[in-house]
Amino acid sequence: MRVIICEDERCFQEAICNAIEEWKEATNHQDVSCICFDSSEELLTSWEGGLSAELLFLDIQIPGELSGMALAKKIRQHDQTVSIVFVTNYADYVYEGYVVSALRYLKKPVLREDIFDCMEIAYRHFSLLSKDKISVLCRDRRLVLPFSDIIYVEIRSHYLYLTLQHSGEKPEVRARLRDFAAQLPQQLFCQCHRSYIVNLDHIRRYTRDSLTLSNRDTVPISQTFAAAFKKKYDWYYMGNKG
């Protein structure tokens, strides 16, 4: 898992790096690396050149540079899954953070425990999203799809329709929803309605009766599934054991 830190003040940059190293030692997750940037514009240039990561720590304001919020919005145009944490002295941007699905807002000086929480959640996402693919038989062909590419599954009549992240088409699979669900990672996918299963990583807005997903589609939540869905959602995004 790659972590990028964009922070112009060296003391805060080093504090985040040190906390991440402590977390790696404590958890023995040595497959984590860090890259640091002093400039948001240099990070954007590198990102547009092909750099990627699973977790970003972004300073909200770097004097004379693109703001962390503006940078996050540009990154979200191309990457809907990277976890974003804002490090800031300002509370004014919290509402804007919903637009880019910020994982956390950390107040400077950052606490070691807060970094540990962010790393636990981001590593959980990384581990689940890097799992194997699923092979599905459509009407006239077989497709192999990464789990991370499936935004949600909808059943209509006797067919399942898969909405994908990187394709405008919706492959049709003749199967029962519960049988298909059994083939998916149970910690990554959850049923929210009798007709829908969603990928938790693609949720962008969660209300009492609906979900807005990364492609801006909205799917319903029914009372029957609401309690179990909330428990799994809280675990995925906040680490709550329920």
Side-chain angles (χ1 to χ4, degrees):
M1 184 177 87
R2 181 180 291 156
V3 181
I4 292 176
I5 302 162
C6 186
E7 168 61 67
D8 66 321
E9 295 184 74
R10 190 56 58 90
C11 62
F12 293 128
Q13 187 183 109
E14 290 178 354
I16 296 171
C17 282
N18 291 340
I20 291 172
E21 287 302 318
E22 289 180 34
W23 177 83
K24 287 171 59 177
E25 290 298 320
T27 59
N28 199 32
H29 290 319
Q30 298 303 317
D31 56 343
V32 175
S33 62
C34 290
I35 301 175
C36 293
F37 287 84
D38 301 317
S39 163
S40 57
E41 293 174 5
E42 286 183 11
L43 171 52
L44 180 60
T45 298
S46 296
W47 196 274
E48 291 175 339
L51 180 66
S52 64
E54 284 69 45
L55 175 60
L56 303 176
F57 287 93
L58 302 181
D59 189 2
I60 284 278
Q61 287 194 343
I62 298 179
E65 295 266 348
L66 190 70
S67 75
M69 187 62 66
L71 173 62
K73 288 177 180 178
K74 288 182 178 293
I75 287 173
R76 274 284 179 252
Q77 292 174 7
H78 306 286
D79 192 321
Q80 291 290 334
T81 60
V82 60
S83 296
I84 297 175
V85 175
F86 288 113
V87 182
T88 179
N89 284 320
Y90 307 93
D92 300 343
Y93 294 90
V94 173
Y95 179 77
E96 266 195 277
Y98 290 110
V99 177
V100 295
S101 304
L103 178 65
R104 288 288 188 279
Y105 274 82
L106 303 184
K107 188 83 182 295
K108 294 181 182 179
V110 293
L111 299 177
R112 171 180 174 273
E113 293 76 15
D114 289 337
I115 298 295
F116 273 39
D117 285 345
C118 292
M119 292 300 297
E120 288 289 344
I121 293 169
Y123 194 86
R124 181 185 308 138
H125 295 185
F126 165 71
S127 299
L128 290 170
L129 290 168
S130 61
K131 283 182 178 290
D132 293 334
K133 304 174 181 181
I134 186 171
S135 175
V136 296
L137 181 62
C138 301
R139 289 181 183 270
D140 56 355
R141 57 192 168 138
R142 182 169 289 278
L143 297 176
V144 178
L145 303 171
F147 289 126
S148 59
D149 200 28
I150 302 173
I151 299 175
Y152 67 93
V153 181
E154 177 186 5
I155 187 166
R156 293 183 228 147
S157 188
H158 299 294
Y159 282 92
L160 304 180
Y161 293 82
L162 312 186
T163 297
L164 306 177
Q165 182 178 15
H166 298 113
S167 174
E169 67 171 322
K170 291 193 175 189
E172 300 175 26
V173 180
R174 188 172 177 84
R176 293 188 298 181
L177 192 64
R178 67 181 181 183
D179 293 339
F180 191 81
Q183 302 177 63
L184 301 172
Q186 299 304 297
Q187 293 173 317
L188 183 59
F189 289 85
C190 188
Q191 189 164 2
C192 61
H193 184 275
R194 66 180 183 179
S195 301
Y196 293 93
I197 293 172
V198 299
N199 184 330
L200 295 169
D201 204 65
H202 285 280
I203 297 171
R204 295 297 173 261
R205 188 166 181 266
Y206 176 15
T207 67
R208 184 176 59 84
D209 54 9
S210 69
L211 300 169
T212 302
L213 302 169
S214 61
N215 65 342
R216 300 185 180 178
D217 284 0
T218 300
V219 300
I221 300 174
S222 68
Q223 265 191 328
T224 303
F225 296 93
F229 181 84
K230 184 179 185 304
K231 184 176 180 180
K232 190 172 286 191
Y233 176 91
D234 286 349
W235 173 83
Y236 189 79
Y237 281 101
M238 291 172 272
N240 295 0
K241 304 240 187 288

